[in-house]
Amino acid sequence: MSSDESHQAPLSPEAKNYSTRRDFLLKIGVGINAIATLMIGIPIIGFVCSTLIKKTSRKWVSLGPVTKFTEGSTRLVAYQTPYGRSADGPTKTLTCWVRRMPGDKFRIFAANCTHLGCPVRWFEESQLFLCPCHGGAFYADGEHAAGPPPRALYEYEYKVMIRGGVLPNLANPGGPV
């Protein structure tokens, strides 16, 4: 063996035609990082792009007859979400606070605090909605009174609905029953 043959330059990484354990582990690491990037990136992209998606239209829900609510009082009302499925179970039932003003005017508030969504309770004696989680307080008109909530209670849009479809007459003054 000549001295030229024993001092050959090592092969460059590009020139080798075999795979090492280091190469294998590098490929596994790149694959795991790619999967983790996709798992984190897809929800973030979905959240950012969700503003471009058309919002679900709201449906009117009946809370009962107007006579069920006395003037000047506030009461909790439960209703079934129109978007519920049988698999939703008890979470299909939602609540709101209904305050009847003089006449046929109402203030209907979401039953959740605007801070972290905890359910608020109405206290008739103090005329306040109070949140038990972090001490948030709201006046009877839903405005923020104290505590960490950043804004007033969320308020639902409402309308007083009628039962229609048939023109009332002398024989049937209230329409169909």
Side-chain angles (χ1 to χ4, degrees), residues 33-69:
N33 283 326
I35 291 170
T37 301
L38 283 173
M39 290 177 70
I40 292 171
I42 288 174
I44 291 172
I45 291 170
F47 175 76
V48 171
C49 294
S50 67
T51 58
L52 304 174
I53 298 172
K54 182 182 175 190
K55 304 257 188 240
T56 304
S57 63
R58 304 253 172 138
K59 294 183 180 177
W60 291 103
V61 177
S62 175
L63 299 179
V66 174
T67 56
K68 176 174 147 180
F69 306 98

Short mmCIF file of all heavy atoms in Angstrom, two decimals, residues 33-69:
data_model
loop_
_atom_site.label_atom_id
_atom_site.label_comp_id
_atom_site.label_asym_id
_atom_site.label_seq_id
_atom_site.Cartn_x
_atom_site.Cartn_y
_atom_site.Cartn_z
N ASN A 33 -41.22 17.90 13.86
CA ASN A 33 -41.39 19.36 13.88
C ASN A 33 -42.40 19.82 12.84
O ASN A 33 -43.17 20.74 13.09
CB ASN A 33 -40.04 20.06 13.66
CG ASN A 33 -39.19 20.05 14.91
OD1 ASN A 33 -39.71 20.11 16.02
ND2 ASN A 33 -37.88 19.96 14.73
N ALA A 34 -42.42 19.18 11.67
CA ALA A 34 -43.39 19.54 10.64
C ALA A 34 -44.81 19.23 11.11
O ALA A 34 -45.74 20.03 10.94
CB ALA A 34 -43.09 18.80 9.34
N ILE A 35 -44.99 18.08 11.75
CA ILE A 35 -46.32 17.70 12.26
C ILE A 35 -46.75 18.68 13.35
O ILE A 35 -47.90 19.14 13.38
CB ILE A 35 -46.31 16.25 12.77
CG1 ILE A 35 -46.17 15.29 11.58
CG2 ILE A 35 -47.57 15.94 13.57
CD1 ILE A 35 -45.90 13.85 11.97
N ALA A 36 -45.83 19.02 14.27
CA ALA A 36 -46.16 19.96 15.35
C ALA A 36 -46.50 21.33 14.78
O ALA A 36 -47.44 21.99 15.25
CB ALA A 36 -44.99 20.07 16.32
N THR A 37 -45.78 21.78 13.76
CA THR A 37 -46.08 23.07 13.13
C THR A 37 -47.46 23.07 12.51
O THR A 37 -48.22 24.03 12.65
CB THR A 37 -45.01 23.39 12.06
OG1 THR A 37 -43.73 23.42 12.68
CG2 THR A 37 -45.29 24.72 11.39
N LEU A 38 -47.84 21.98 11.85
CA LEU A 38 -49.17 21.88 11.27
C LEU A 38 -50.25 21.87 12.36
O LEU A 38 -51.28 22.53 12.23
CB LEU A 38 -49.29 20.62 10.42
CG LEU A 38 -48.63 20.68 9.05
CD1 LEU A 38 -48.69 19.31 8.39
CD2 LEU A 38 -49.31 21.72 8.18
N MET A 39 -50.01 21.13 13.44
CA MET A 39 -51.02 21.04 14.49
C MET A 39 -51.24 22.38 15.19
O MET A 39 -52.34 22.67 15.64
CB MET A 39 -50.61 19.98 15.51
CG MET A 39 -50.70 18.57 14.95
SD MET A 39 -50.13 17.32 16.11
CE MET A 39 -51.44 17.38 17.30
N ILE A 40 -50.22 23.19 15.27
CA ILE A 40 -50.35 24.50 15.88
C ILE A 40 -50.81 25.53 14.85
O ILE A 40 -51.63 26.39 15.14
CB ILE A 40 -49.01 24.94 16.53
CG1 ILE A 40 -48.71 24.05 17.72
CG2 ILE A 40 -49.05 26.40 16.94
CD1 ILE A 40 -47.33 24.24 18.30
N GLY A 41 -50.31 25.43 13.64
CA GLY A 41 -50.57 26.43 12.61
C GLY A 41 -51.98 26.40 12.04
O GLY A 41 -52.56 27.45 11.77
N ILE A 42 -52.55 25.23 11.85
CA ILE A 42 -53.88 25.14 11.23
C ILE A 42 -54.94 25.84 12.08
O ILE A 42 -55.72 26.63 11.55
CB ILE A 42 -54.24 23.67 10.92
CG1 ILE A 42 -53.38 23.19 9.75
CG2 ILE A 42 -55.72 23.51 10.61
CD1 ILE A 42 -53.53 21.72 9.43
N PRO A 43 -55.03 25.62 13.40
CA PRO A 43 -56.03 26.37 14.18
C PRO A 43 -55.78 27.88 14.18
O PRO A 43 -56.73 28.66 14.16
CB PRO A 43 -55.89 25.79 15.60
CG PRO A 43 -55.26 24.47 15.42
CD PRO A 43 -54.39 24.58 14.22
N ILE A 44 -54.52 28.28 14.18
CA ILE A 44 -54.22 29.72 14.16
C ILE A 44 -54.68 30.32 12.85
O ILE A 44 -55.31 31.38 12.82
CB ILE A 44 -52.72 29.96 14.41
CG1 ILE A 44 -52.37 29.62 15.86
CG2 ILE A 44 -52.35 31.41 14.11
CD1 ILE A 44 -50.90 29.64 16.18
N ILE A 45 -54.39 29.65 11.74
CA ILE A 45 -54.83 30.14 10.43
C ILE A 45 -56.36 30.16 10.37
O ILE A 45 -56.96 31.11 9.86
CB ILE A 45 -54.23 29.28 9.30
CG1 ILE A 45 -52.72 29.52 9.22
CG2 ILE A 45 -54.89 29.58 7.97
CD1 ILE A 45 -51.99 28.56 8.32
N GLY A 46 -57.01 29.13 10.92
CA GLY A 46 -58.47 29.10 10.95
C GLY A 46 -59.04 30.25 11.75
O GLY A 46 -60.04 30.86 11.36
N PHE A 47 -58.42 30.57 12.88
CA PHE A 47 -58.89 31.69 13.70
C PHE A 47 -58.74 33.01 12.95
O PHE A 47 -59.65 33.84 12.95
CB PHE A 47 -58.09 31.73 15.01
CG PHE A 47 -58.42 32.92 15.86
CD1 PHE A 47 -59.60 32.96 16.58
CD2 PHE A 47 -57.57 34.00 15.95
CE1 PHE A 47 -59.91 34.05 17.37
CE2 PHE A 47 -57.86 35.09 16.73
CZ PHE A 47 -59.03 35.12 17.44
N VAL A 48 -57.61 33.21 12.29
CA VAL A 48 -57.38 34.45 11.57
C VAL A 48 -58.34 34.57 10.38
O VAL A 48 -58.88 35.64 10.12
CB VAL A 48 -55.90 34.54 11.10
CG1 VAL A 48 -55.69 35.70 10.15
CG2 VAL A 48 -54.98 34.67 12.30
N CYS A 49 -58.58 33.46 9.69
CA CYS A 49 -59.44 33.49 8.51
C CYS A 49 -60.93 33.44 8.86
O CYS A 49 -61.78 33.63 7.99
CB CYS A 49 -59.10 32.33 7.58
SG CYS A 49 -57.45 32.47 6.87
N SER A 50 -61.28 33.18 10.12
CA SER A 50 -62.69 33.05 10.48
C SER A 50 -63.46 34.34 10.28
O SER A 50 -64.68 34.30 10.13
CB SER A 50 -62.82 32.58 11.93
OG SER A 50 -62.36 33.58 12.81
N THR A 51 -62.78 35.47 10.27
CA THR A 51 -63.48 36.72 10.03
C THR A 51 -63.96 36.82 8.59
O THR A 51 -64.87 37.60 8.29
CB THR A 51 -62.58 37.92 10.34
OG1 THR A 51 -61.40 37.84 9.54
CG2 THR A 51 -62.20 37.93 11.81
N LEU A 52 -63.39 36.04 7.70
CA LEU A 52 -63.79 36.07 6.30
C LEU A 52 -65.00 35.18 6.03
O LEU A 52 -65.66 35.33 5.02
CB LEU A 52 -62.62 35.62 5.40
CG LEU A 52 -61.32 36.41 5.57
CD1 LEU A 52 -60.22 35.77 4.74
CD2 LEU A 52 -61.51 37.86 5.21
N ILE A 53 -65.25 34.26 6.94
CA ILE A 53 -66.36 33.32 6.77
C ILE A 53 -67.66 34.01 7.17
O ILE A 53 -67.72 34.77 8.13
CB ILE A 53 -66.14 32.07 7.63
CG1 ILE A 53 -64.88 31.36 7.17
CG2 ILE A 53 -67.33 31.13 7.55
CD1 ILE A 53 -64.46 30.22 8.08
N LYS A 54 -68.72 33.71 6.43
CA LYS A 54 -70.02 34.31 6.72
C LYS A 54 -70.52 33.87 8.10
O LYS A 54 -70.45 32.71 8.45
CB LYS A 54 -71.03 33.89 5.66
CG LYS A 54 -72.40 34.50 5.84
CD LYS A 54 -73.36 34.02 4.79
CE LYS A 54 -74.73 34.57 5.09
NZ LYS A 54 -75.75 33.97 4.27
N LYS A 55 -70.98 34.82 8.86
CA LYS A 55 -71.49 34.54 10.21
C LYS A 55 -72.85 33.84 10.12
O LYS A 55 -73.61 34.05 9.20
CB LYS A 55 -71.65 35.85 10.98
CG LYS A 55 -70.38 36.66 11.06
CD LYS A 55 -69.76 36.50 12.40
CE LYS A 55 -68.62 37.47 12.55
NZ LYS A 55 -67.37 36.91 12.80
N THR A 56 -73.13 33.02 11.12
CA THR A 56 -74.42 32.35 11.21
C THR A 56 -75.48 33.38 11.56
O THR A 56 -75.30 34.17 12.48
CB THR A 56 -74.39 31.26 12.29
OG1 THR A 56 -73.32 30.36 12.00
CG2 THR A 56 -75.68 30.51 12.36
N SER A 57 -76.57 33.38 10.82
CA SER A 57 -77.64 34.33 11.12
C SER A 57 -78.34 33.93 12.41
O SER A 57 -78.46 32.75 12.71
CB SER A 57 -78.64 34.38 9.96
OG SER A 57 -79.25 33.13 9.82
N ARG A 58 -78.75 34.92 13.15
CA ARG A 58 -79.44 34.66 14.41
C ARG A 58 -80.91 34.37 14.12
O ARG A 58 -81.50 34.95 13.23
CB ARG A 58 -79.33 35.87 15.32
CG ARG A 58 -77.91 36.29 15.58
CD ARG A 58 -77.52 35.93 16.97
NE ARG A 58 -76.11 36.15 17.18
CZ ARG A 58 -75.64 36.68 18.26
NH1 ARG A 58 -76.45 37.07 19.21
NH2 ARG A 58 -74.35 36.82 18.43
N LYS A 59 -81.49 33.47 14.92
CA LYS A 59 -82.90 33.13 14.76
C LYS A 59 -83.67 33.69 15.95
O LYS A 59 -83.15 33.78 17.06
CB LYS A 59 -83.07 31.61 14.71
CG LYS A 59 -82.43 30.99 13.49
CD LYS A 59 -82.68 29.51 13.45
CE LYS A 59 -82.03 28.92 12.21
NZ LYS A 59 -82.17 27.47 12.17
N TRP A 60 -84.90 34.07 15.71
CA TRP A 60 -85.75 34.57 16.79
C TRP A 60 -86.22 33.40 17.64
O TRP A 60 -86.59 32.35 17.13
CB TRP A 60 -86.96 35.31 16.21
CG TRP A 60 -86.59 36.58 15.54
CD1 TRP A 60 -86.50 36.81 14.20
CD2 TRP A 60 -86.22 37.81 16.18
NE1 TRP A 60 -86.11 38.11 13.97
CE2 TRP A 60 -85.93 38.75 15.16
CE3 TRP A 60 -86.10 38.21 17.50
CZ2 TRP A 60 -85.54 40.05 15.44
CZ3 TRP A 60 -85.71 39.51 17.78
CH2 TRP A 60 -85.44 40.42 16.75
N VAL A 61 -86.20 33.59 18.94
CA VAL A 61 -86.62 32.56 19.89
C VAL A 61 -87.69 33.17 20.79
O VAL A 61 -87.52 34.27 21.31
CB VAL A 61 -85.43 32.10 20.75
CG1 VAL A 61 -85.88 31.09 21.79
CG2 VAL A 61 -84.33 31.53 19.88
N SER A 62 -88.78 32.47 20.98
CA SER A 62 -89.84 32.96 21.84
C SER A 62 -89.51 32.67 23.30
O SER A 62 -89.12 31.56 23.65
CB SER A 62 -91.17 32.29 21.48
OG SER A 62 -92.16 32.69 22.40
N LEU A 63 -89.67 33.68 24.15
CA LEU A 63 -89.44 33.52 25.59
C LEU A 63 -90.76 33.41 26.35
O LEU A 63 -90.76 33.34 27.57
CB LEU A 63 -88.62 34.69 26.13
CG LEU A 63 -87.23 34.87 25.53
CD1 LEU A 63 -86.54 36.08 26.14
CD2 LEU A 63 -86.39 33.63 25.71
N GLY A 64 -91.87 33.43 25.65
CA GLY A 64 -93.17 33.31 26.28
C GLY A 64 -94.00 34.56 26.08
O GLY A 64 -93.54 35.55 25.50
N PRO A 65 -95.22 34.56 26.58
CA PRO A 65 -96.10 35.71 26.41
C PRO A 65 -95.62 36.91 27.24
O PRO A 65 -94.98 36.76 28.28
CB PRO A 65 -97.45 35.21 26.90
CG PRO A 65 -97.13 34.09 27.82
CD PRO A 65 -95.86 33.47 27.30
N VAL A 66 -95.95 38.10 26.78
CA VAL A 66 -95.56 39.34 27.46
C VAL A 66 -96.14 39.37 28.88
O VAL A 66 -95.50 39.87 29.81
CB VAL A 66 -96.03 40.56 26.63
CG1 VAL A 66 -95.78 41.85 27.38
CG2 VAL A 66 -95.34 40.58 25.29
N THR A 67 -97.34 38.80 29.06
CA THR A 67 -97.99 38.82 30.38
C THR A 67 -97.22 38.01 31.42
O THR A 67 -97.45 38.14 32.61
CB THR A 67 -99.42 38.27 30.27
OG1 THR A 67 -99.36 36.95 29.69
CG2 THR A 67 -100.27 39.17 29.41
N LYS A 68 -96.30 37.18 30.99
CA LYS A 68 -95.48 36.37 31.89
C LYS A 68 -94.48 37.23 32.68
O LYS A 68 -93.99 36.81 33.72
CB LYS A 68 -94.75 35.32 31.04
CG LYS A 68 -93.79 34.44 31.72
CD LYS A 68 -93.30 33.39 30.72
CE LYS A 68 -91.87 33.01 30.97
NZ LYS A 68 -91.39 32.01 30.03
N PHE A 69 -94.22 38.44 32.19
CA PHE A 69 -93.23 39.32 32.80
C PHE A 69 -93.92 40.54 33.40
O PHE A 69 -94.59 41.28 32.69
CB PHE A 69 -92.20 39.76 31.75
CG PHE A 69 -91.56 38.61 31.04
CD1 PHE A 69 -92.00 38.21 29.79
CD2 PHE A 69 -90.51 37.92 31.62
CE1 PHE A 69 -91.42 37.14 29.13
CE2 PHE A 69 -89.92 36.85 30.98
CZ PHE A 69 -90.37 36.45 29.73
#
